[in-house]
Amino acid sequence: MAETESTKVLDEIKTKFGDAVSPDEREGYDGYLVRAENLLDFATFVRDALGYDYLSSVTGVDYIVEDKMEVVYHAYRTSGGPALLFKVQTQREKSVVPSLVSIYPGADFQEREAWDLLGIEFEGHPDLRRILLWDGFHGHPLRKDWREAYFEEDQKPFGNRWPEGKVYRIEDKVPFNKNVKYPANFTPEGWVPEGEGTLYASLGRMEKSNGNGTGSEHIVVNLGPQHPSTHGVFRMVAELDGETIVDLKPVMGYLHRNHEKIGERNTYIMNMPFTDRLDYICSMGNNFAYALSVEKLMDVQPPERAEYLRVIMAELTRVVNHFWAIGFLLNDLGAFFTPALYAINERELILDVFEAVSGSRMMCNYFRFGGLARDLPPGTAEVIRDLAFERLPEKIDELERYLTENEIVRVRGEGVGVLTAEQAIGFAAAGPVLRASGVPYDVRKAEPYSIYDRFDFDVAVRYNGDVYDRYLIRVDEIRQSIRILQQAIQDLPEGEIQTGRPQYQVRVPAGESYGRVENPKGELGFYVISDGSPTPYRYHIRAPSFINVTGMAEMSRGQKIADVVAILGSIDIVLGETDR
């Protein structure tokens, strides 16, 4: 934040909390260290007195050498500006931190994730259960002393690959060739999934009188994870009164592969293609956020041409995502595949561009620290120009003619799955979900990165917070992306696309950084800690698909079962990013 604003905030914090809050003076670090016993008061003060109403990211860190755990919070003002970064440290063995769910409801799933993967207990959390791992999982895998059955070494490349080159399969050295550890005395026949019982108990079972002396009982049903309308391997446990949703709990983790643990073993550059596999519809945007985070630590600035090409690829990605989201929302409304095919056709033309520049249509691995992997091939700029000025404006008009005033789309969307502005901010919703609820918050404007401050575009916003407005907001954003693309391709300069020589191994100075972008589904952030070694010490992803689901229960209460499918489609999640 600006120097004067930072000084003012520090003065207010000192006046209010004295020695209970102190600046983080570790080299390469920022923000404030808060005593655990003062955390609730501090968070309330930050929200109400300082105006940081949006808690974007909650990250757990294991500092095993110092024998402590740390929880890192990134809070923002929805009016714009940089983060207020604050942290709590505890003893490692008994790591207990007050839950912030009562102050920032959007901390709910993120605190559960920190408990699940690191074993940090959040006192007062309303439903502290595993969220990404199965109930019988043994241990907390992001702890630095946790070892899986296939463990070889802490960092890559493994010694048997390089430099010796004496490769063997670690599976051959593990009993039964299984990369699985179970709790003590575990047997499949005797295991009772405690988490499932807690899950169903948290919904409750209530009886309702119908006034004539007879009663009916609410029932609990599972929607998914195998159902195609749950967008992959996702499950919703719903409590029903007839066909009306009384309460709902999202259940995820069926696709979890501990991306962050892998990221802390990989070298920095090895992680770039792994980011492609998060939201696999938005590979270029994922690359962008990760590159920004590491570039902050390295103090590297890409060349002008690379900056323009990055923006072009990011905005083409936004168009790809929103066409796809609209097409499959209509699938969820029952218009099986005809609107989706119109949308997919446009997506394929943009994927042709991605394939030309990166060699891949979906897993692009295109960004590099300080630039890009390669320049545009001959003729690609002309293809992008034609898309931006001719094809895409025409096709979004055509899609709107089919859908926007369609009676079924309006009846199924208007007033369904409403999330108010206050609720959207509280749940840390991001992207179209947040802006469809009347909050004009877009990272490209709120805290501009790359060269977004050079472009003339508007933050799309709608005000009803329902399924229909979440459809409209994506149409609006496609139009704004087209505006940016037209400006970027017109102004695209000649020159280099990489600062310095391409590197296959980078040394990143010690410290912390948080790089974030306005990805199509909302704020995608990478919190990276470097200890100066070739691999990240901590690598954490603020995943919009994961956090946007936090408000799912609020959107669903009082709706019908069929509406819940539409609500989920209007959030637009990809399970590769939700589960990681």
Side-chain angles (χ1 to χ4, degrees), residues 220-233:
V220 175
V221 300
N222 286 285
L223 308 173
Q226 75 289 346
H227 196 284
S229 288
T230 58
H231 291 247
V233 277

Side-chain angles (χ1 to χ4, degrees), residues 103 132 155 192 303 319 343 350 358 381 415 433 504 512 561:
I103 301 165
L132 296 177
Q155 297 178 345
V192 178
V319 174
I350 295 174
S358 74
V433 177
Y504 297 97
E512 66 175 351
I561 294 176

Side-chain angles (χ1 to χ4, degrees), residues 16 18 48 149 155 167 169 193 212 232 347 356 390 399 431 439 447 457 491 554 568 575:
K16 176 73 173 176
D48 297 341
Q155 297 178 345
V167 179
R169 296 174 73 247
N212 62 5
R347 174 177 181 262
E390 303 295 336
L399 197 69
V439 184
E447 192 184 12
F457 69 100
D491 298 340
E554 184 62 40
L568 181 63
L575 270 298

